[in-house]
Amino acid sequence: MKKFKKFIYPFIFSICFFVTYIILLIVLEIVLPSGDYAGLAYAFIALLIWIFIVMPFYCFKYSKLIYEEKWKFLFIIYNPLIISLCHTGPFLISAISSNDADIIIKITLGLFGWLALCTYVSYLIRINTIKEPDENNSSVAEE
């Protein structure tokens, strides 16, 4: 099962995004009066929180899965590729007929870059935090 986690987690994360966003939209529709644009602002704020807080946290947790993997750099690319395509794919399909596909492609590329950066940086942080105790223990043993 541990082998499949590396492949399944990006899909599960994308499903969680859509479920969370749909629940948020339903709650905002019930709570806010119709015709009010405050719901759009709250949905946009939730989207920003998802991108800048939840996604880096997920990437840090995902780096724990791929830390000891032989082909870890392929998973550093696999994770953002799957998530960015899953998050923007439904919008890309509907935007092809309305000539807005270039905007969605740019958003997909930006999201891919952000996730690749978060995954790689969290992987580097994980390497450095695990290597530091080994170096400290070896210097103590030498003295």
Side-chain angles (χ1 to χ4, degrees):
M1 182 66 182
K2 188 165 180 149
K3 292 253 183 206
F4 293 114
K5 284 183 180 180
K6 295 175 283 251
F7 296 105
I8 295 174
Y9 271 23
F11 291 108
I12 292 173
F13 182 73
S14 297
I15 291 169
C16 289
F17 166 72
F18 283 112
V19 168
T20 305
Y21 214 68
I22 289 170
I23 290 171
L24 175 71
L25 293 178
I26 290 171
V27 168
L28 288 177
E29 185 176 334
I30 292 171
V31 172
L32 297 174
S34 63
D36 192 10
Y37 289 109
L40 184 63
Y42 288 131
F44 185 70
I45 290 169
L47 186 64
L48 289 177
I49 289 171
W50 186 269
I51 291 172
F52 292 114
I53 295 174
V54 176
M55 282 185 174
F57 181 74
Y58 162 77
C59 290
F60 185 75
K61 291 294 187 181
Y62 187 77
S63 70
K64 183 178 181 181
L65 285 175
I66 63 170
Y67 171 70
E68 295 177 351
E69 186 64 32
K70 182 178 179 181
W71 300 99
K72 57 188 91 130
F73 290 105
L74 291 177
F75 285 107
I76 290 174
I77 299 298
Y78 172 78
N79 181 44
L81 180 68
I82 296 300
I83 291 176
S84 62
L85 289 177
C86 286
H87 278 54
T88 59
F91 304 108
L92 182 62
I93 292 169
S94 64
I96 289 175
S97 62
S98 65
N99 295 329
D100 291 332
D102 58 336
I103 295 169
I104 304 296
I105 290 172
K106 289 176 185 175
I107 292 170
T108 304
L109 291 174
L111 190 60
F112 174 81
W114 172 247
L115 284 167
L117 178 72
C118 290
T119 305
Y120 184 68
V121 167
S122 58
Y123 172 74
L124 289 178
I125 290 170
R126 190 162 303 279
I127 286 176
N128 289 336
T129 57
I130 291 176
K131 284 185 179 180
E132 285 178 6
D134 294 338
E135 292 171 359
N136 291 337
N137 290 341
S138 64
S139 64
V140 172
E142 291 174 5
E143 294 176 7

